[in-house]
Amino acid sequence: MTLFLQFFLTGIVTGSFLILATIGFSFTRRVEGFLNIAHAELLGVSAFTVWGLNNLLGWHIVPAAVVGIVFTALVGLAIGRIVYDPIRKLGPSVLLITSVGVAYAIGGTVDALVGTGIRTLDIPLATSYRFWGLRITDYQMLVVAFAAVATGSLALFLNKTSMGLAIRAISANPELAASRGIDVKSTSRITWMISSGLAGLSGTMLAIVATLSTDIAFHQILQILAVAILAGLGSLYAVIAAGLIVGVAMDLSVFWIPAGYRPLIAFAVVILVLLFRPEGLAGKKSR
Amino acid sequence: MTLYSLILTTLTFGAMFSVLTLSLNLQYARGGMINFGTVAYFAAGAYAYAIFTQEPPSGLDQYAFGFGLPWYLGFLAAGVASLLFALVTGWPTLRLRGEYLALTTFAFAEVLHSFLLNERRIGNGSVGLSNVERPDPTLIGLNDMLTYAMAAVALMLVTAFFFHRLLKSPFGRTVDAIHDDEIAAQAIGKDGARIRLQVFVISAIPIGFAGALYAMTTTLVSPALFTAEITFFVWIALALGGEKTILGAILGTLALVFFQEAVGSIPFESVRAAQIAASVEEVVTGILFIIVLRWQPWEKLSRRAKA
C-alpha cells in the first residue's frame, strides 16, 4: 500500500512537471491556433542554456535559471515573429507541419553546440524527506510549487489584466477581436513570450530533476501532446487536470505493467480520448 | 565513398523513401489527411518481412515466431501487414480531421514503436532481428548494390504509375471532389469517410513493400531504425518537392537523401566534427523546410505553367 501511495505521489510530481511543460503549448494552441511541435525543443534550449551557464561558466543555479528562462522566451518570440507570423494565413495544418521544420532546426542547433552524452547540473544532491513512509525530495517539491505558481499567475493574468482579456478575446474569435480594435500583433508577441518563457521554466525544472541529453526534448513532446489532447487543447484548468491524470496514470502503471511501457500509457490516453471524445476532456463539440 | 556508390546509395534509399513520400502525397494533397505515423506502416512491412523469412527462434532468441519462408512470401506479407495496420488504425480515426488525425496517427506509431521495443516476442525487442533473409543477386551474376538500387527504383516507378492511374480514374475524381467540397460530394452519394479510408489503406500497401525492401537492404530490423524521425523526414521531403505532384514528391526525396548521404560521406578528422556536420545538416534541412513552406516556390511555378 505504501508503495502504491509512493507511485501516486511520484505521479503527482510527474503530473506537475507535465502541467508546466504543457501550459505554454496549450496557450499557443489557443491563441495562435496551431500545434507547435517545436515547443518541446524550447525546453531543451532552456535546459542546455542553464547547463552551459552553470557548468561551463560556473554561475550559481539561480541567475543561470533566470537568464535561461529569459533567453528561451526571447528565442520563442523571435521564432514566432520570423517563422510563424508570415505564414499564419496558410492555416493550422501548414503551421503544424512548419513547426516540425522548426523543431529540426532548433534540435540540430542544440546538438551541434552541446554534442552527445549525459549532462548534469552542478547543484547539491536532492535531499529526501519522509512523510508517513513516503519519500519526496526538495527538488520534486520545487517542481510542484512552480507548477502551482505558474498556473496560478497565468490564470490571474488571463482573468484580471486587460492584456489577458485581449488574449482571451483573440482565442475566442480572432476576427471579431481584431475588428474591435485589439492589437493582434502585440498580443501575439506577448503570447510567444509567455508560452516560451513557460517552456523555459519547465526546461530549467527538467535540468534540475533529471539528467540531460540532447534527445530529451523529443521525448517531452510526446507527453506534452498527450496532456494537451486530454485537456481538449484548450482551458488552463483542463490542462491541470489532464497533467495530473497522465502523470499519475504513467507512474501508477508501473505498479501493474513493466516500466518500459510507461511512455505508452500517455499514448493510450491520447488514442482513447480522441476515439471517444474527439474534442478532449473539457472540449465542446464543434462539429 | 566514391561518387558511384554515393549515387547508388542515394538511388536505393531515395527511391525507397520516395514510396513513402508518394503515399503521403496521396493521403495529404489528395485526401486531405495529415498522417504523422507513416513510419509505423513502414515498420509493419519491415517486421512482417523479417518475421516471415526468419529462421525459427533457437537458443537465446527471444522472438516467438520465425517462419523461415522464402523472400517473395515475406515481401507479400509486408504489404498485407501494412494494409492491415492501416485498416486497424484508419477505421476508428478517419472521422477525425486535421491536427487531431495527425496526433492519433502519431500516437499509433509511438505505440507500435513501444511494443516493438518492449515486447521481445515480436521481434527480439531492442536487439531486433539481424541477418534478415534476402535474395542474393550475385548467385545469378548480378551486382548486389546495383540490383537493390534497381529494385527500389522499380518499386518507386510502379507505385508512382499506380497512383497516377488511380488519380486519373473515376475514383481519383471522387477523391478530389471530396477534398474540394465534402458536403457537395455527399449530396451526390459519395461517402467521404469511406473513400478516405480507401485512400488511406491503398496508400499504405506500397509503404509496406518499401519496408520489406529496406529490411532486405539493411538486413536488420530493430526499433531504433523506425523512429518518428522517418515520418518527419518524409514530410520534409514532401514539402521540399512540392506537395501536389508525383514527380515533385520523388525529386524532393531524392534531393534530400542525396544531401544527407553527401554530408555523411565527407571524411571527417574527428568524431566531434562528424557529429557537428550531422547536426548542421539537421538545421539546414529544417530551415529549407521552413523556407519552402513559406514561399511555396513550386506552387507558384506550376501556377505560372498553367496560366
Side-chain angles (χ1 to χ4, degrees):
Chain A
M1 189 59 196
T2 317
L3 190 63
F4 186 85
L5 285 177
Q6 180 68 56
F7 280 136
F8 190 83
L9 186 67
T10 326
I12 301 280
V13 177
T14 310
S16 300
F17 173 75
L18 287 178
I19 292 168
L20 267 185
T22 312
I23 23 177
F25 177 81
S26 192
F27 193 52
T28 322
R29 167 62 175 70
R30 215 167 123 192
V31 184
E32 300 288 311
F34 73 104
L35 298 177
N36 181 17
I37 300 290
H39 184 78
E41 299 292 336
L42 290 176
L43 266 70
V45 169
S46 132
F48 283 104
T49 310
V50 174
W51 171 81
L53 293 173
N54 172 254
N55 259 46
L56 303 180
L57 302 182
W59 289 25
H60 186 267
I61 179 69
V62 175
V66 171
V67 172
I69 293 169
V70 172
F71 176 68
T72 311
L74 294 177
V75 170
L77 174 65
I79 294 173
R81 304 254 342 244
I82 298 169
V83 179
Y84 297 125
D85 273 359
I87 57 167
R88 195 188 308 237
K89 59 181 183 305
L90 298 177
S93 295
V94 176
L95 284 159
L96 164 66
I97 299 167
T98 301
S99 74
V100 173
V102 176
Y104 256 71
I106 303 178
T109 311
V110 173
D111 268 345
L113 294 175
V114 179
T116 50
I118 288 181
R119 324 275 174 180
T120 48
L121 290 183
D122 184 18
I123 47 173
L125 284 176
T127 322
S128 185
Y129 298 95
R130 272 176 170 278
F131 302 99
W132 307 286
L134 300 177
R135 272 170 210 279
I136 184 163
T137 70
D138 43 0
Y139 292 147
Q140 287 178 322
M141 288 194 265
L142 199 65
V143 169
V144 179
F146 266 114
V149 170
T151 40
S153 35
L154 190 61
L156 279 180
F157 169 77
L158 287 176
N159 288 318
K160 301 288 176 200
T161 65
S162 60
M163 182 49 90
L165 289 175
I167 287 176
R168 287 171 58 201
I170 287 184
S171 68
N173 188 339
E175 286 85 18
L176 182 63
S179 74
R180 299 291 295 179
I182 288 174
D183 186 350
V184 179
K185 275 228 166 85
S186 72
T187 36
S188 167
R189 263 171 241 161
I190 297 287
T191 306
W192 283 115
M193 293 271 278
I194 293 177
S195 58
S196 311
L198 286 167
L201 176 61
S202 50
T204 307
M205 287 295 128
L206 191 64
I208 290 173
V209 295
T211 52
L212 297 173
S213 67
T214 48
D215 56 357
I216 46 156
F218 184 72
H219 294 292
Q220 293 305 326
I221 191 63
L222 307 179
Q223 294 171 17
I224 290 175
L225 285 173
V227 175
I229 288 292
L230 184 61
L233 297 169
S235 128
L236 188 62
Y237 306 104
V239 171
I240 299 175
L244 291 175
I245 292 173
V246 172
V248 169
M250 284 203 319
D251 282 333
L252 273 189
S253 74
V254 180
F255 206 66
W256 293 283
I257 58 176
Y261 286 109
R262 187 173 171 273
L264 199 128
I265 299 299
F267 275 88
V269 168
V270 170
I271 294 174
L272 287 176
V273 169
L274 282 180
L275 292 186
F276 293 105
R277 279 200 64 110
E279 322 300 328
L281 267 192
K284 287 181 235 66
K285 278 253 182 296
S286 64
R287 279 178 236 275
Chain B
M1 206 197 278
T2 62
L3 187 63
Y4 175 69
S5 68
L6 175 64
I7 291 174
L8 266 194
T9 327
T10 305
L11 268 187
T12 314
F13 292 105
M16 225 178 275
F17 286 116
S18 291
V19 175
L20 275 67
T21 321
L22 285 169
S23 297
L24 269 195
N25 179 48
L26 191 62
Q27 292 176 352
Y28 177 63
R30 299 303 182 122
M33 297 173 280
I34 304 185
N35 182 353
F36 262 13
T38 306
V39 67
Y41 309 92
F42 191 54
Y47 266 89
Y49 176 79
I51 289 167
F52 272 78
T53 56
Q54 196 80 343
E55 298 297 314
S58 63
L60 291 172
D61 290 335
Q62 288 182 302
Y63 61 96
F65 302 106
F67 298 115
L69 294 169
W71 68 269
Y72 46 86
L73 290 179
F75 192 75
L76 283 179
V80 174
S82 194
L83 180 154
L84 289 179
F85 195 65
L87 263 183
V88 170
T89 53
W91 178 70
T93 56
L94 284 180
R95 64 200 168 89
L96 303 169
R97 304 305 304 275
E99 60 193 7
Y100 292 97
L101 179 64
L103 291 177
T104 8
T105 45
F106 189 52
F108 271 121
E110 289 304 315
V111 167
L112 180 71
H113 187 260
S114 182
F115 264 108
L116 293 175
L117 198 61
N118 291 296
E119 202 53 57
R120 299 203 177 111
R121 280 165 292 180
I122 305 176
N124 240 356
S126 62
V127 182
L129 299 167
S130 53
N131 287 325
V132 171
E133 167 95 6
R134 47 137 73 175
D136 187 1
T138 50
L139 285 181
I140 50 169
L142 288 173
N143 179 307
D144 206 36
M145 270 178 76
L146 191 62
T147 312
Y148 277 100
M150 289 302 128
V153 171
L155 179 65
M156 172 184 86
L157 291 178
V158 169
T159 309
F161 177 73
F162 178 69
F163 284 178
H164 178 73
R165 289 300 296 270
L166 188 72
L167 289 171
K168 288 270 181 256
S169 70
F171 179 78
R173 287 193 293 276
T174 315
V175 172
D176 285 342
I178 287 168
H179 184 61
D180 292 341
D181 189 344
E182 180 158 358
I183 293 167
Q186 266 168 356
I188 54 162
K190 304 292 181 190
D191 182 348
R194 193 191 163 102
I195 301 276
R196 268 199 295 278
L197 181 62
Q198 286 168 354
V199 171
F200 197 73
V201 170
I202 289 172
S203 55
I205 299 169
I207 302 184
F209 289 142
L213 205 55
Y214 189 68
M216 286 185 214
T217 314
T218 57
T219 69
L220 172 76
V221 293
S222 85
L225 290 177
F226 301 101
T227 59
E229 289 235 338
I230 291 190
T231 303
F232 294 143
F233 179 86
V234 181
W235 268 103
I236 292 175
L238 182 63
L240 283 181
E243 63 202 31
K244 289 284 190 286
T245 66
I246 283 178
L247 187 65
I250 291 175
L251 289 181
T253 320
L254 287 176
L256 194 56
V257 172
F258 178 77
F259 170 60
Q260 295 208 329
E261 293 293 334
V263 172
S265 67
I266 302 170
F268 285 105
E269 298 289 315
S270 67
V271 178
R272 182 78 186 111
Q275 261 172 22
I276 291 179
S279 321
V280 170
E281 170 213 300
E282 216 175 293
V283 177
V284 174
T285 310
I287 292 176
L288 268 179
F289 186 55
I290 296 166
I291 291 175
V292 168
L293 281 169
R294 170 156 176 192
W295 281 284
Q296 307 198 313
W298 281 272
E299 308 267 301
K300 281 181 193 139
L301 272 183
S302 71
R303 229 172 287 148
R304 212 169 295 153
K306 267 180 209 160

